[in-house]
Amino acid sequence: MIDTQALAEIVGPAFVLTGTDTEKWSSDWTNMYVATPLAVVRPADTQQVSAVMKWAHATGTAIVPVSGNTGLNGGASGEDAVMLSLDRLNKIADIDVAGRTARVGAGVVLSSLHDAADAHDLIFPLTFGARGTAMIGGALSTNAGGSNVVRYGNTRDLVMGIEVVMADGQIMDLMGALHKDNSGLNLKHLMIGAEGALGIITAAVVKLFAKPRAYATAMVAVPHLDAALTLLHSMQDATGGGVEAFEYMPRNYIDTHLAVIDGAKPPFDDSYDVNIMIEVAATAQRDATPADDGSVPIVSLLEQTLGDMLEDGRVLDAVVAQNEAQRREMWARREAAGEVVFFKKPFVDTDVAVPVTKVATFLTEATARLAKLDAGAKELIVAHLGDGNIHYLVNPTSDDPVLKNAIKEMVEDIVQELQGSFSAEHGVGISKLATMTRRKDPVALQTMRAIKAALDPKGILNPGKTIPN
């Protein structure tokens, strides 16, 4: 039991939830991590977050911060803890059009920031399937990636400043909108990606960018991944780095998408092993202004590149979106990944990164080694090919924990051999703790534990997550 009266005095009785009122926060999106929190507390602002943390520090109560609860690794599971929901910190305090920044609370839903930026002909380029429910605090806490990393980078690359409430309730103000700051250690980057284990991010200053004037989007079938990389590099060179998305959807993903999603359509009349969605964006007027015949230069450039590659066999088939509806249909195919890959149980899901030139090697090795481990297992793959991030899911023939762990270790082996990362964009949470222990450099783990102990000596911030004991 906890003293809910003390919490009610901080945030108000209506915003301290217990019992069945906590059900909304008791399970993550995958339903793999189900917990019964001691309570859910919903502060209204940074000062209330600070007061809650002072109470937690004084009483030794575990605090699990939660935003949109769209994570996949159990990072916001709140067993035997008070869950601190940041959903009421949902104000966009300012959009600086001239400086191209926005000051946002941790509870701002990602799509709301997209809409607010769009009203000023600007964009916040972080995007992924859960953008309608995911919140800024969670995106920062996991250093989220998404589909536009190839052009704009991960979340860390999009953040200029943050505000953080520390374990003892002190407020660290790093909210400057500075492009250069060499005043000591980069505490901003330390907090981003820490999954609430070092402090609770309550606000941020994020970068905005010019809204593209035109898009060129296509589904492309190629004979192998080397040809896909040729397409990527050709378009990057031709557009000065204008490729915004480069997504790999192999045959097994397309087939499952058609089977699972009502009304889904195939990308081509024929079926292919290697399917790529490419999107190029133009911000310059010269690339976006239609010619006399109605053609848009950026679209014509993509069509010409694809045509040249069709002639010499590096492209097998291509469909270029001719309007916004067709573009949205292509994006819907990719953004349904959550529903597609988690459709069948049991599963082993991984989120890895390797050098872009090693993606094919990873997939070839994984297929061969999986056949030796579990001959009847099925793979389901989707990847951000432009940055080497592979979502490799396996449906094993049984739910045996020993088999599932062996599959995870097999994937870890290949990633390590290719000098990749076992965690690309979803964070560590609970699901990758064992992998952290097995695979993370021992000195790096020792350093992480030392930082955790220094900033959270009572171990109350999101305990049992991210950093193995």
Side-chain angles (χ1 to χ4, degrees):
M1 296 293 293
I2 60 167
D3 183 4
T4 56
Q5 180 59 37
L7 293 171
E9 290 175 1
I10 296 171
V11 302
F15 301 107
V16 180
L17 310 177
T18 57
T20 57
D21 291 336
T22 68
E23 288 181 359
K24 175 183 175 181
W25 293 268
S26 296
S27 176
D28 69 337
W29 182 82
T30 69
N31 290 317
M32 289 180 61
Y33 302 96
V34 179
T36 304
L38 300 175
V40 174
V41 181
R42 301 176 59 218
D45 54 35
T46 300
Q47 293 301 324
Q48 288 189 1
V49 174
S50 172
V52 171
M53 288 310 306
K54 288 176 181 177
W55 168 85
H57 191 258
T59 59
T61 304
I63 296 290
V64 174
V66 58
S67 295
N69 208 15
T70 59
L72 302 176
N73 293 317
S77 185
E79 189 69 32
D80 296 325
V82 169
M83 296 186 74
L84 194 152
S85 173
L86 299 168
D87 62 338
R88 295 178 67 207
L89 279 68
N90 58 2
K91 303 297 189 297
I92 299 175
D94 174 62
I95 291 183
D96 181 351
V97 176
R100 292 190 174 177
T101 64
R103 298 171 69 91
V104 296
V108 170
V109 173
L110 185 54
S111 61
S112 297
L113 179 53
H114 290 164
D115 292 343
D118 184 72
H120 299 279
D121 285 330
L122 297 170
I123 63 166
F124 180 61
L126 180 67
T127 186
F128 41 79
R131 64 184 179 276
T133 49
M135 297 176 188
I136 292 297
L140 269 64
S141 292
T142 56
N143 187 31
S147 300
N148 286 350
V149 170
V150 66
R151 183 169 190 178
Y152 299 101
N154 289 306
T155 297
R156 276 196 181 98
D157 303 301
L158 303 175
V159 178
M160 304 186 79
I162 57 172
E163 177 185 76
V164 184
V165 176
M166 307 303 288
D168 61 0
Q170 294 188 85
I171 300 171
M172 181 167 64
D173 185 349
L174 304 174
M175 288 287 282
L178 301 176
H179 289 276
K180 293 182 178 180
D181 181 6
N182 286 322
S183 57
L185 302 180
N186 195 328
L187 300 177
K188 174 186 69 175
H189 281 185
L190 181 65
M191 293 294 169
I192 297 173
E195 301 182 55
L198 303 179
I200 298 174
I201 298 173
T202 50
V205 180
V206 299
K207 297 178 183 178
L208 304 178
F209 296 81
K211 181 181 177 180
R213 298 174 184 269
Y215 290 101
T217 312
M219 287 296 303
V220 185
V222 295
H224 45 72
L225 287 176
D226 286 344
L229 292 180
T230 299
L231 171 61
L232 172 62
H233 297 321
S234 295
M235 289 307 301
Q236 290 286 48
D237 293 344
T239 61
V243 176
E244 295 215 342
F246 201 76
E247 302 295 301
Y248 170 46
M249 291 170 276
R251 184 190 295 264
N252 59 21
Y253 179 88
I254 297 296
D255 289 347
T256 308
H257 178 260
L258 292 171
V260 171
I261 303 300
D262 290 339
K265 299 176 182 178
F268 310 103
D269 292 336
D270 296 321
S271 183
Y272 300 98
D273 289 333
V274 182
N275 307 280
I276 303 293
M277 188 191 82
I278 180 172
E279 179 159 280
V280 186
T283 56
Q285 191 70 52
R286 65 178 182 274
D287 297 324
T289 302
D292 292 340
D293 63 0
S295 62
V296 178
I298 191 68
V299 177
S300 298
L301 177 59
L302 178 59
E303 291 174 336
Q304 178 182 342
T305 302
L306 293 174
D308 292 343
M309 293 181 71
L310 273 165
E311 286 187 7
D312 61 24
R314 289 175 296 169
V315 163
L316 303 176
D317 205 344
V319 175
V320 179
Q322 298 301 310
N323 51 53
E324 183 63 16
Q326 291 179 6
R327 173 177 175 254
R328 286 295 169 195
E329 182 178 301
M330 293 177 183
W331 270 106
R333 181 180 294 113
R334 175 59 182 87
E335 292 186 336
E339 298 167 74
V340 172
V341 300
F342 294 117
F343 172 70
K344 183 180 178 182
K345 294 181 180 180
F347 60 76
V348 176
D349 64 310
T350 67
D351 162 41
V352 306
V354 298
V356 292
T357 55
K358 300 295 184 182
V359 171
T361 302
F362 171 88
L363 295 174
T364 299
E365 284 294 318
T367 299
R369 298 187 198 187
L370 178 63
K372 295 177 181 179
L373 277 177
D374 187 5
K378 303 296 184 183
E379 299 173 310
L380 189 54
I381 300 154
V382 66
H384 305 298
L385 186 58
D387 55 59
N389 179 187
I390 310 162
H391 300 294
Y392 178 78
L393 182 138
V394 173
N395 294 121
T397 54
S398 82
D399 204 19
D400 179 8
V402 175
L403 173 60
K404 292 168 71 173
N405 193 63
I407 293 171
K408 284 186 179 181
E409 290 207 52
M410 175 270 289
V411 172
E412 294 169 18
D413 285 340
I414 302 171
V415 168
Q416 194 162 37
E417 291 163 15
L418 299 177
Q419 295 185 300
S421 170
F422 56 79
S423 184
E425 64 177 0
H426 291 164
V428 174
I430 294 172
S431 70
K432 298 176 188 173
L433 279 177
T435 303
M436 283 283 283
T437 301
R438 289 191 291 253
R439 304 292 178 168
K440 196 68 179 177
D441 176 77
V443 178
L445 280 178
Q446 178 183 329
T447 303
M448 290 181 192
R449 290 171 181 138
I451 293 171
K452 170 72 171 174
L455 297 184
D456 181 19
K458 292 189 175 183
I460 61 173
L461 281 171
N462 213 4
K465 321 281 177 50
T466 311
I467 304 172
N469 294 324

